[in-house]
Amino acid sequence: MTASRAGGPLVLAVESSCDETGIALVEGGRRILSNVVASQVALHAPTGGIVPEVAARAHLRWILPVLDEAWQGAGVSWADVDAVAVTRGPGLAGSLLVGINVAKTLAWIHDKPFVGVNHLEGHLYAAWLRDPGQADGEEPEFPLVALVVSGGHTFLVEMTDHLTYRLLGQTVDDAAGEAFDKVGRLLGLDYPGGPAIQRAAGDASRRDAVFPRAWLGDSYDFSFSGLKTAARRTVEAARADAGLREPEEHLPHAAVAELAWGFQEAVVDVLVTKTIRAAVAAGARSIVLGGGVAANAALRARLAGEAEALGVPLVVPRPGLCTDNGAMIGAAGARRFAAGERSGLDLEATPSLPLAR
Ligand code: KG4
Ligand code: ZN
């Protein structure tokens, strides 16, 4: 039942670092044969954030059904698989352990090589992915500058070749996604805050709200804690003006929309300005955007416009490949596998694994 395959290693990849259970089959580090994600968003909505033990239990509940579904329609079988890849960190320890144990067991039972993958590298390699039926198209070209913005991470790197990273800058406090989530909660919006702020910002008829930008001099580092504090003060002042006292009383939607728009503008402004400056300094031939916040339409549009003005192609995965998924781990895992990398079945979860090399 083997389908005709264009080549490159076929990797079965498992992602369970945070609150999405993802399993994918990816060929040659690029072509997605299947990519199934079980999201825990609804589960964590009542607490407005991820409770690690709840997340780990949900991975345990969903990972085998997700695996079953990943085989359906992929047109391949275990005999075709060249390696099993899994996220080894960074992430929540209990969540990582579920995916690592399942991946190890599969590799052992089926006698396949096993490769541990850095989750952040997965977000970068999502830029190489192609959906089923999508033409191969151009690959990102080196040197490239990549911005990864997620719920747990915000950093800029330069890549001069595959699997080779030079960290240019990173957040000195909160990740951009964390700021979106916290400000979303302040505004009384649904969890997670990122998509909810994007939706509310789209409703803004007045676009006057101005929030501070932390430029941090010439550095490529980011800071969002001051912006978060400014947002909290502005929301509190607006609530006091409107005479709102109870937590369940919310500002009128028009006011929420304007504040959401102003906050989103401030985040996007800093992210885009620093990325473009880094791309110019590096003489980049591509700009890559990844991580959950890369699903943000305002960020995508503004970076696309500025990259075009610079004449540098921007590569941004579709939103579903920006948020956590197994395919991105398959993309990075295939590169590591092709480079000869193997992990032992004693691989451990590394919750604060940095992006190395
Ligand atoms: O990469 P990801 O799925 O998980 C981590 O590795 O952290 O990123 C999740 C983050 C959340 O903070 C979420 O609010 C944010 O990505 N996010 C967005 C959007 N979609 C997801 N932020 C802004 N706009 C969006 N459309
Ligand atoms: Zn992520």
Side-chain angles (χ1 to χ4, degrees):
M1 62 168 272
T2 305
S4 67
R5 289 175 33 209
L10 179 67
V11 173
L12 180 127
V14 180
E15 153 64 34
S16 72
S17 66
C18 192
D19 61 341
E20 329 274 359
T21 317
I23 299 191
L25 284 151
V26 178
E27 189 184 43
R30 294 206 83 193
R31 286 170 296 280
I32 298 175
L33 303 188
S34 70
N35 184 31
V36 179
V37 178
S39 171
Q40 301 177 11
V41 161
L43 187 64
H44 299 300
T47 42
I50 298 162
V51 177
E53 190 184 320
V54 174
R57 286 175 185 276
H59 284 302
L60 208 49
R61 163 72 184 83
W62 287 109
I63 199 157
L64 293 181
V66 166
L67 175 65
D68 274 348
E69 202 181 323
W71 286 112
Q72 286 162 30
V76 289
S77 68
W78 268 112
D80 303 308
V81 171
D82 296 299
V84 175
V86 67
T87 304
R88 57 191 282 250
L92 301 168
S95 290
L96 288 165
L97 286 173
V98 177
I100 290 174
N101 265 331
V102 166
K104 272 183 188 179
T105 308
L106 292 172
W108 183 71
I109 291 174
H110 297 283
D111 198 18
K112 301 289 179 183
F114 179 57
V115 188
V117 174
N118 187 309
H119 179 82
L120 306 174
E121 192 167 65
H123 278 304
L124 290 167
Y125 273 91
W128 273 265
L129 288 170
R130 289 284 170 270
D131 281 311
Q134 191 182 352
D136 264 3
E138 298 295 314
E139 297 194 19
E141 279 189 50
F142 301 114
L144 63 80
V145 161
L147 172 70
V148 173
V149 264
S150 74
H153 301 271
T154 297
F155 63 89
L156 258 175
V157 284
E158 181 184 348
M159 290 177 72
T160 47
D161 200 351
H162 280 298
L163 308 176
T164 307
Y165 312 103
R166 187 165 77 87
L167 185 66
L168 301 174
Q170 61 190 321
T171 183
V172 297
D173 41 53
D174 292 347
E178 205 178 333
F180 266 99
D181 293 339
K182 285 182 184 158
V183 171
R185 209 174 314 151
L186 278 175
L187 290 171
L189 295 171
D190 289 343
Y191 171 84
I197 285 183
Q198 175 180 321
R199 279 193 301 275
D203 296 338
S205 49
R206 287 182 42 179
R207 300 189 159 185
D208 298 332
V210 176
F211 285 98
R213 277 89 163 134
W215 294 113
L216 306 181
D218 288 342
S219 92
Y220 294 118
D221 285 339
F222 303 94
S223 166
F224 298 105
S225 69
L227 172 59
K228 206 176 60 192
T229 306
R232 182 165 47 75
R233 292 215 181 100
T234 308
V235 171
E236 281 168 3
R239 289 177 60 86
D241 283 352
L244 303 176
R245 284 194 183 78
E246 304 305 322
E248 55 281 2
E249 292 179 316
H250 296 307
L251 289 168
H253 185 65
V256 169
E258 188 184 350
L259 295 176
W261 177 85
F263 166 80
Q264 181 176 269
E265 280 292 298
V267 176
V268 167
D269 195 12
V270 174
L271 292 176
V272 171
T273 303
K274 293 202 179 214
T275 304
I276 293 292
R277 186 153 52 79
V280 171
R285 297 179 66 190
S286 307
I287 298 173
V288 163
L289 178 62
V293 181
N296 185 272
L299 174 60
R300 298 165 78 91
R302 167 101 181 258
L303 191 55
E306 298 210 9
E308 193 180 355
L310 197 64
V312 179
L314 170 69
V315 186
V316 196
R318 65 175 165 82
L321 296 175
C322 290
T323 47
D324 293 348
N325 64 86
M328 69 187 206
I329 302 305
R335 299 283 170 185
R336 294 253 163 221
F337 176 73
E341 216 166 286
R342 306 288 182 268
S343 302
L345 290 177
D346 56 353
L347 181 78
E348 292 185 16
T350 309
S352 52
L353 186 69
L355 183 70
R357 257 212 282 157

PDB file of all heavy atoms in Angstrom, residues 18-20 119 123 149-153 177-178 180-181 192-195 198 291-293 295-297 322-324, ligand 1:
ATOM      1  N   CYS A  18       3.317  21.330  25.005  1.00  0.00           N
ATOM      2  CA  CYS A  18       2.515  22.316  25.736  1.00  0.00           C
ATOM      3  C   CYS A  18       1.062  21.849  25.811  1.00  0.00           C
ATOM      4  O   CYS A  18       0.753  20.914  26.548  1.00  0.00           O
ATOM      5  CB  CYS A  18       2.685  23.674  25.067  1.00  0.00           C
ATOM      6  SG  CYS A  18       2.052  25.021  26.054  1.00  0.00           S
ATOM      7  N   ASP A  19       0.193  22.435  25.022  1.00  0.00           N
ATOM      8  CA  ASP A  19      -1.222  22.068  25.138  1.00  0.00           C
ATOM      9  C   ASP A  19      -1.834  21.573  23.835  1.00  0.00           C
ATOM     10  O   ASP A  19      -3.048  21.557  23.694  1.00  0.00           O
ATOM     11  CB  ASP A  19      -2.031  23.250  25.696  1.00  0.00           C
ATOM     12  CG  ASP A  19      -1.972  24.464  24.795  1.00  0.00           C
ATOM     13  OD1 ASP A  19      -1.049  24.533  23.962  1.00  0.00           O
ATOM     14  OD2 ASP A  19      -2.827  25.350  24.925  1.00  0.00           O
ATOM     15  N   GLU A  20      -0.993  21.178  22.870  1.00  0.00           N
ATOM     16  CA  GLU A  20      -1.507  20.539  21.662  1.00  0.00           C
ATOM     17  C   GLU A  20      -0.834  19.180  21.533  1.00  0.00           C
ATOM     18  O   GLU A  20       0.378  19.084  21.655  1.00  0.00           O
ATOM     19  CB  GLU A  20      -1.186  21.319  20.371  1.00  0.00           C
ATOM     20  CG  GLU A  20      -1.097  22.814  20.503  1.00  0.00           C
ATOM     21  CD  GLU A  20      -2.437  23.502  20.379  1.00  0.00           C
ATOM     22  OE1 GLU A  20      -3.444  22.813  20.164  1.00  0.00           O
ATOM     23  OE2 GLU A  20      -2.463  24.731  20.521  1.00  0.00           O
ATOM     24  N   HIS A 119      11.862  21.940  20.148  1.00  0.00           N
ATOM     25  CA  HIS A 119      10.576  22.515  19.741  1.00  0.00           C
ATOM     26  C   HIS A 119      10.759  23.842  18.974  1.00  0.00           C
ATOM     27  O   HIS A 119      10.023  24.117  18.011  1.00  0.00           O
ATOM     28  CB  HIS A 119       9.739  22.740  21.004  1.00  0.00           C
ATOM     29  CG  HIS A 119       8.408  23.355  20.772  1.00  0.00           C
ATOM     30  ND1 HIS A 119       7.303  22.622  20.384  1.00  0.00           N
ATOM     31  CD2 HIS A 119       7.974  24.635  20.870  1.00  0.00           C
ATOM     32  CE1 HIS A 119       6.264  23.431  20.250  1.00  0.00           C
ATOM     33  NE2 HIS A 119       6.644  24.658  20.538  1.00  0.00           N
ATOM     34  N   HIS A 123       9.525  25.170  15.173  1.00  0.00           N
ATOM     35  CA  HIS A 123       8.843  26.395  14.714  1.00  0.00           C
ATOM     36  C   HIS A 123       9.586  27.017  13.527  1.00  0.00           C
ATOM     37  O   HIS A 123       8.957  27.542  12.607  1.00  0.00           O
ATOM     38  CB  HIS A 123       8.724  27.410  15.850  1.00  0.00           C
ATOM     39  CG  HIS A 123       7.559  27.151  16.767  1.00  0.00           C
ATOM     40  ND1 HIS A 123       6.261  27.051  16.301  1.00  0.00           N
ATOM     41  CD2 HIS A 123       7.488  27.001  18.115  1.00  0.00           C
ATOM     42  CE1 HIS A 123       5.448  26.836  17.332  1.00  0.00           C
ATOM     43  NE2 HIS A 123       6.164  26.792  18.437  1.00  0.00           N
ATOM     44  N   VAL A 149       7.908  33.730  17.472  1.00  0.00           N
ATOM     45  CA  VAL A 149       7.088  34.382  18.501  1.00  0.00           C
ATOM     46  C   VAL A 149       5.991  33.421  18.926  1.00  0.00           C
ATOM     47  O   VAL A 149       5.086  33.119  18.160  1.00  0.00           O
ATOM     48  CB  VAL A 149       6.439  35.691  17.971  1.00  0.00           C
ATOM     49  CG1 VAL A 149       7.263  36.894  18.331  1.00  0.00           C
ATOM     50  CG2 VAL A 149       6.186  35.658  16.478  1.00  0.00           C
ATOM     51  N   SER A 150       6.099  32.932  20.162  1.00  0.00           N
ATOM     52  CA  SER A 150       5.097  31.964  20.606  1.00  0.00           C
ATOM     53  C   SER A 150       4.626  32.330  22.003  1.00  0.00           C
ATOM     54  O   SER A 150       4.926  33.411  22.511  1.00  0.00           O
ATOM     55  CB  SER A 150       5.698  30.557  20.573  1.00  0.00           C
ATOM     56  OG  SER A 150       6.597  30.399  21.642  1.00  0.00           O
ATOM     57  N   GLY A 151       3.896  31.382  22.627  1.00  0.00           N
ATOM     58  CA  GLY A 151       3.404  31.641  23.978  1.00  0.00           C
ATOM     59  C   GLY A 151       4.527  31.623  25.002  1.00  0.00           C
ATOM     60  O   GLY A 151       4.440  32.258  26.046  1.00  0.00           O
ATOM     61  N   GLY A 152       5.599  30.898  24.709  1.00  0.00           N
ATOM     62  CA  GLY A 152       6.690  30.771  25.671  1.00  0.00           C
ATOM     63  C   GLY A 152       7.990  31.405  25.220  1.00  0.00           C
ATOM     64  O   GLY A 152       8.917  31.539  26.013  1.00  0.00           O
ATOM     65  N   HIS A 153       8.083  31.798  23.936  1.00  0.00           N
ATOM     66  CA  HIS A 153       9.372  32.254  23.400  1.00  0.00           C
ATOM     67  C   HIS A 153       9.212  33.402  22.422  1.00  0.00           C
ATOM     68  O   HIS A 153       8.215  33.460  21.700  1.00  0.00           O
ATOM     69  CB  HIS A 153      10.087  31.097  22.694  1.00  0.00           C
ATOM     70  CG  HIS A 153      10.336  29.960  23.615  1.00  0.00           C
ATOM     71  ND1 HIS A 153      11.461  29.853  24.379  1.00  0.00           N
ATOM     72  CD2 HIS A 153       9.547  28.914  23.954  1.00  0.00           C
ATOM     73  CE1 HIS A 153      11.376  28.778  25.146  1.00  0.00           C
ATOM     74  NE2 HIS A 153      10.214  28.186  24.903  1.00  0.00           N
ATOM     75  N   GLY A 177       3.466  36.069  22.981  1.00  0.00           N
ATOM     76  CA  GLY A 177       2.180  35.375  23.118  1.00  0.00           C
ATOM     77  C   GLY A 177       1.633  35.462  24.540  1.00  0.00           C
ATOM     78  O   GLY A 177       0.424  35.581  24.754  1.00  0.00           O
ATOM     79  N   GLU A 178       2.567  35.410  25.494  1.00  0.00           N
ATOM     80  CA  GLU A 178       2.176  35.538  26.898  1.00  0.00           C
ATOM     81  C   GLU A 178       1.539  36.912  27.131  1.00  0.00           C
ATOM     82  O   GLU A 178       0.533  37.033  27.834  1.00  0.00           O
ATOM     83  CB  GLU A 178       3.461  35.419  27.708  1.00  0.00           C
ATOM     84  CG  GLU A 178       3.359  34.955  29.109  1.00  0.00           C
ATOM     85  CD  GLU A 178       4.782  34.862  29.697  1.00  0.00           C
ATOM     86  OE1 GLU A 178       5.759  34.662  28.942  1.00  0.00           O
ATOM     87  OE2 GLU A 178       4.877  35.014  30.922  1.00  0.00           O
ATOM     88  N   PHE A 180       0.042  38.761  24.854  1.00  0.00           N
ATOM     89  CA  PHE A 180      -1.284  38.712  24.216  1.00  0.00           C
ATOM     90  C   PHE A 180      -2.287  38.034  25.159  1.00  0.00           C
ATOM     91  O   PHE A 180      -3.412  38.507  25.346  1.00  0.00           O
ATOM     92  CB  PHE A 180      -1.225  37.923  22.903  1.00  0.00           C
ATOM     93  CG  PHE A 180      -1.002  38.769  21.673  1.00  0.00           C
ATOM     94  CD1 PHE A 180       0.258  38.891  21.120  1.00  0.00           C
ATOM     95  CD2 PHE A 180      -2.056  39.435  21.076  1.00  0.00           C
ATOM     96  CE1 PHE A 180       0.471  39.666  19.978  1.00  0.00           C
ATOM     97  CE2 PHE A 180      -1.861  40.213  19.932  1.00  0.00           C
ATOM     98  CZ  PHE A 180      -0.590  40.328  19.389  1.00  0.00           C
ATOM     99  N   ASP A 181      -1.874  36.906  25.744  1.00  0.00           N
ATOM    100  CA  ASP A 181      -2.799  36.148  26.587  1.00  0.00           C
ATOM    101  C   ASP A 181      -3.175  36.926  27.846  1.00  0.00           C
ATOM    102  O   ASP A 181      -4.346  36.951  28.251  1.00  0.00           O
ATOM    103  CB  ASP A 181      -2.193  34.786  26.952  1.00  0.00           C
ATOM    104  CG  ASP A 181      -2.043  33.878  25.729  1.00  0.00           C
ATOM    105  OD1 ASP A 181      -2.737  34.123  24.727  1.00  0.00           O
ATOM    106  OD2 ASP A 181      -1.232  32.948  25.761  1.00  0.00           O
ATOM    107  N   PRO A 192      -7.478  31.487  24.126  1.00  0.00           N
ATOM    108  CA  PRO A 192      -6.276  32.274  24.367  1.00  0.00           C
ATOM    109  C   PRO A 192      -6.409  33.694  23.838  1.00  0.00           C
ATOM    110  O   PRO A 192      -7.134  33.946  22.864  1.00  0.00           O
ATOM    111  CB  PRO A 192      -5.208  31.500  23.599  1.00  0.00           C
ATOM    112  CG  PRO A 192      -5.933  30.778  22.517  1.00  0.00           C
ATOM    113  CD  PRO A 192      -7.317  30.523  23.014  1.00  0.00           C
ATOM    114  N   GLY A 193      -5.684  34.610  24.471  1.00  0.00           N
ATOM    115  CA  GLY A 193      -5.830  36.029  24.170  1.00  0.00           C
ATOM    116  C   GLY A 193      -5.412  36.429  22.764  1.00  0.00           C
ATOM    117  O   GLY A 193      -5.967  37.373  22.203  1.00  0.00           O
ATOM    118  N   GLY A 194      -4.427  35.727  22.186  1.00  0.00           N
ATOM    119  CA  GLY A 194      -3.901  36.145  20.878  1.00  0.00           C
ATOM    120  C   GLY A 194      -4.971  36.248  19.805  1.00  0.00           C
ATOM    121  O   GLY A 194      -5.229  37.334  19.269  1.00  0.00           O
ATOM    122  N   PRO A 195      -5.638  35.119  19.481  1.00  0.00           N
ATOM    123  CA  PRO A 195      -6.685  35.199  18.453  1.00  0.00           C
ATOM    124  C   PRO A 195      -7.828  36.129  18.861  1.00  0.00           C
ATOM    125  O   PRO A 195      -8.402  36.821  18.017  1.00  0.00           O
ATOM    126  CB  PRO A 195      -7.186  33.752  18.336  1.00  0.00           C
ATOM    127  CG  PRO A 195      -6.144  32.905  18.969  1.00  0.00           C
ATOM    128  CD  PRO A 195      -5.383  33.741  19.936  1.00  0.00           C
ATOM    129  N   GLN A 198      -6.794  39.686  18.232  1.00  0.00           N
ATOM    130  CA  GLN A 198      -6.831  39.940  16.775  1.00  0.00           C
ATOM    131  C   GLN A 198      -8.261  40.214  16.308  1.00  0.00           C
ATOM    132  O   GLN A 198      -8.514  41.153  15.545  1.00  0.00           O
ATOM    133  CB  GLN A 198      -6.240  38.753  16.011  1.00  0.00           C
ATOM    134  CG  GLN A 198      -6.373  38.931  14.508  1.00  0.00           C
ATOM    135  CD  GLN A 198      -5.808  37.771  13.720  1.00  0.00           C
ATOM    136  OE1 GLN A 198      -4.769  37.213  14.068  1.00  0.00           O
ATOM    137  NE2 GLN A 198      -6.486  37.412  12.656  1.00  0.00           N
ATOM    138  N   GLY A 291       6.029  30.339  14.982  1.00  0.00           N
ATOM    139  CA  GLY A 291       5.491  30.363  16.346  1.00  0.00           C
ATOM    140  C   GLY A 291       4.042  30.799  16.338  1.00  0.00           C
ATOM    141  O   GLY A 291       3.565  31.403  15.372  1.00  0.00           O
ATOM    142  N   GLY A 292       3.334  30.496  17.424  1.00  0.00           N
ATOM    143  CA  GLY A 292       1.895  30.746  17.484  1.00  0.00           C
ATOM    144  C   GLY A 292       1.483  32.166  17.145  1.00  0.00           C
ATOM    145  O   GLY A 292       0.472  32.382  16.453  1.00  0.00           O
ATOM    146  N   VAL A 293       2.245  33.158  17.585  1.00  0.00           N
ATOM    147  CA  VAL A 293       1.871  34.555  17.334  1.00  0.00           C
ATOM    148  C   VAL A 293       2.020  34.907  15.846  1.00  0.00           C
ATOM    149  O   VAL A 293       1.420  35.869  15.359  1.00  0.00           O
ATOM    150  CB  VAL A 293       2.691  35.521  18.237  1.00  0.00           C
ATOM    151  CG1 VAL A 293       2.303  36.970  18.014  1.00  0.00           C
ATOM    152  CG2 VAL A 293       2.493  35.158  19.715  1.00  0.00           C
ATOM    153  N   ALA A 295       0.630  33.464  13.669  1.00  0.00           N
ATOM    154  CA  ALA A 295      -0.712  33.319  13.098  1.00  0.00           C
ATOM    155  C   ALA A 295      -1.420  34.668  13.037  1.00  0.00           C
ATOM    156  O   ALA A 295      -2.460  34.807  12.384  1.00  0.00           O
ATOM    157  CB  ALA A 295      -1.532  32.334  13.933  1.00  0.00           C
ATOM    158  N   ASN A 296      -0.872  35.676  13.706  1.00  0.00           N
ATOM    159  CA  ASN A 296      -1.537  36.992  13.785  1.00  0.00           C
ATOM    160  C   ASN A 296      -1.551  37.709  12.431  1.00  0.00           C
ATOM    161  O   ASN A 296      -0.496  37.968  11.833  1.00  0.00           O
ATOM    162  CB  ASN A 296      -0.827  37.851  14.836  1.00  0.00           C
ATOM    163  CG  ASN A 296      -1.530  39.176  15.046  1.00  0.00           C
ATOM    164  OD1 ASN A 296      -1.258  40.147  14.368  1.00  0.00           O
ATOM    165  ND2 ASN A 296      -2.470  39.194  15.979  1.00  0.00           N
ATOM    166  N   ALA A 297      -2.738  38.070  11.975  1.00  0.00           N
ATOM    167  CA  ALA A 297      -2.900  38.647  10.636  1.00  0.00           C
ATOM    168  C   ALA A 297      -2.212  40.002  10.510  1.00  0.00           C
ATOM    169  O   ALA A 297      -1.624  40.314   9.467  1.00  0.00           O
ATOM    170  CB  ALA A 297      -4.383  38.763  10.295  1.00  0.00           C
ATOM    171  N   CYS A 322       1.804  27.471  12.194  1.00  0.00           N
ATOM    172  CA  CYS A 322       2.529  28.373  13.094  1.00  0.00           C
ATOM    173  C   CYS A 322       2.331  27.936  14.542  1.00  0.00           C
ATOM    174  O   CYS A 322       3.257  27.955  15.349  1.00  0.00           O
ATOM    175  CB  CYS A 322       2.037  29.809  12.935  1.00  0.00           C
ATOM    176  SG  CYS A 322       2.510  30.559  11.374  1.00  0.00           S
ATOM    177  N   THR A 323       1.097  27.571  14.896  1.00  0.00           N
ATOM    178  CA  THR A 323       0.840  27.064  16.246  1.00  0.00           C
ATOM    179  C   THR A 323       1.369  25.621  16.322  1.00  0.00           C
ATOM    180  O   THR A 323       1.644  24.998  15.306  1.00  0.00           O
ATOM    181  CB  THR A 323      -0.668  27.125  16.576  1.00  0.00           C
ATOM    182  OG1 THR A 323      -1.392  26.584  15.466  1.00  0.00           O
ATOM    183  CG2 THR A 323      -1.129  28.550  16.796  1.00  0.00           C
ATOM    184  N   ASP A 324       1.524  25.114  17.545  1.00  0.00           N
ATOM    185  CA  ASP A 324       2.195  23.827  17.744  1.00  0.00           C
ATOM    186  C   ASP A 324       1.539  22.696  16.948  1.00  0.00           C
ATOM    187  O   ASP A 324       0.314  22.566  16.935  1.00  0.00           O
ATOM    188  CB  ASP A 324       2.182  23.462  19.234  1.00  0.00           C
ATOM    189  CG  ASP A 324       3.041  24.414  20.053  1.00  0.00           C
ATOM    190  OD1 ASP A 324       3.801  25.194  19.462  1.00  0.00           O
ATOM    191  OD2 ASP A 324       2.936  24.361  21.289  1.00  0.00           O
TER     192      ASP A 324
HETATM  193  O1  KG4 B   1       3.532  28.236  19.346  1.00  0.00           O
HETATM  194  P1  KG4 B   1       2.329  28.099  20.210  1.00  0.00           P
HETATM  195  O2  KG4 B   1       1.151  27.332  19.668  1.00  0.00           O
HETATM  196  O3  KG4 B   1       2.703  27.462  21.589  1.00  0.00           O
HETATM  197  C1  KG4 B   1       3.918  27.724  22.215  1.00  0.00           C
HETATM  198  O4  KG4 B   1       4.930  27.058  21.837  1.00  0.00           O
HETATM  199  O5  KG4 B   1       3.930  28.639  23.051  1.00  0.00           O
HETATM  200  O6  KG4 B   1       1.882  29.593  20.583  1.00  0.00           O
HETATM  201  C2  KG4 B   1       0.767  29.869  21.370  1.00  0.00           C
HETATM  202  C3  KG4 B   1       0.627  31.381  21.476  1.00  0.00           C
HETATM  203  C4  KG4 B   1      -0.457  31.819  22.471  1.00  0.00           C
HETATM  204  O7  KG4 B   1       0.107  32.787  23.333  1.00  0.00           O
HETATM  205  C5  KG4 B   1      -1.524  32.427  21.574  1.00  0.00           C
HETATM  206  O8  KG4 B   1      -2.259  33.474  22.197  1.00  0.00           O
HETATM  207  C6  KG4 B   1      -0.695  32.946  20.423  1.00  0.00           C
HETATM  208  O9  KG4 B   1       0.270  31.953  20.213  1.00  0.00           O
HETATM  209  N1  KG4 B   1      -1.500  33.142  19.202  1.00  0.00           N
HETATM  210  C7  KG4 B   1      -1.732  34.348  18.656  1.00  0.00           C
HETATM  211  C8  KG4 B   1      -2.614  34.135  17.563  1.00  0.00           C
HETATM  212  N2  KG4 B   1      -2.862  32.784  17.473  1.00  0.00           N
HETATM  213  C9  KG4 B   1      -2.166  32.187  18.491  1.00  0.00           C
HETATM  214  N3  KG4 B   1      -1.304  35.573  19.005  1.00  0.00           N
HETATM  215  C10 KG4 B   1      -1.726  36.619  18.262  1.00  0.00           C
HETATM  216  N4  KG4 B   1      -2.574  36.505  17.213  1.00  0.00           N
HETATM  217  C11 KG4 B   1      -3.033  35.279  16.809  1.00  0.00           C
HETATM  218  N5  KG4 B   1      -3.865  35.166  15.776  1.00  0.00           N
END
